[in-house]
Amino acid sequence: MEAGGRYYNTKDQVSELESLLGKLPDPAAPVPQRPKRHIPGRARQLNADQVKELIAGYQAGATVYELGDRFGIDRRTVSEILHRNEVLMRRRGLSTEQVDEAARLYEGGWSLVRIGERMAVDPTTVLNRLRECGVRTRDVHGRKR
């Protein structure tokens, strides 16, 4: 074996190092800033007058979503405020009588959408209540599942 061995000819190694150095950022260039992350702030607190206005709005028929947008708070916060102030919540969904009527209409061939429109609820609400009552539902082609 020769005196320098495999390290005798360093030309390839030097080329590789120069190539790697070329890929590094310029040391004189400014350091890139990290993107700023959103740091959650403190939850917005409503004063007594705003709470009264929120309650009045709900009792006048506004939804918790609408009130949340109006006051800049989450709809769950609206619900918590209403519960804390013992406001009777509107029942969304179907009563027992409505579920019975929905089952009768569904078995009569009505679609979930049509029943939902008639009862002013989402079709998924109708579907869920029918399933809870053991009504066999149809697939999208009208065949029993």
Side-chain angles (χ1 to χ4, degrees):
M1 187 169 268
E2 291 183 33
R6 59 192 246 197
Y7 299 110
Y8 188 70
N9 188 353
T10 59
K11 185 177 177 181
D12 292 337
Q13 294 168 340
V14 170
S15 307
E16 191 64 33
L17 283 172
E18 288 173 343
S19 171
L20 288 172
L21 281 172
K23 294 178 183 177
L24 290 173
D26 181 15
V31 177
Q33 297 295 318
R34 289 185 179 179
K36 294 193 178 202
R37 294 183 299 149
H38 172 70
I39 299 172
R42 186 165 180 243
R44 181 157 188 261
Q45 301 292 314
L46 300 183
N47 62 37
D49 290 334
Q50 290 173 316
V51 169
K52 287 178 186 175
E53 186 180 339
L54 183 141
I55 292 169
Y58 184 78
Q59 291 173 335
T63 67
V64 292
Y65 292 94
E66 293 167 345
L67 292 168
D69 290 342
R70 186 185 315 167
F71 289 95
I73 57 178
D74 189 74
R75 58 122 178 127
R76 291 173 292 201
T77 306
V78 173
S79 294
E80 288 172 17
I81 291 169
L82 294 172
H83 286 292
R84 202 177 312 135
N85 288 277
E86 300 178 358
V87 175
L88 184 62
M89 300 293 289
R90 292 190 293 271
R91 181 164 167 25
R92 298 284 302 174
L94 301 172
S95 67
T96 307
E97 295 80 22
Q98 287 176 312
V99 172
D100 292 339
E101 182 184 358
R104 185 180 53 76
L105 293 172
Y106 187 77
E107 292 186 352
W110 283 42
S111 70
L112 296 171
V113 171
R114 190 172 171 200
I115 296 169
E117 288 171 354
R118 177 180 176 135
M119 299 186 175
V121 294
D122 191 88
T124 307
T125 301
V126 176
L127 175 64
N128 291 336
R129 297 301 85 75
L130 292 177
R131 285 183 176 165
E132 286 173 4
C133 293
V135 175
R136 284 189 64 198
T137 56
R138 302 182 294 267
D139 65 11
V140 294
H141 302 291
R143 299 179 295 235
K144 292 272 186 192
R145 292 183 196 214

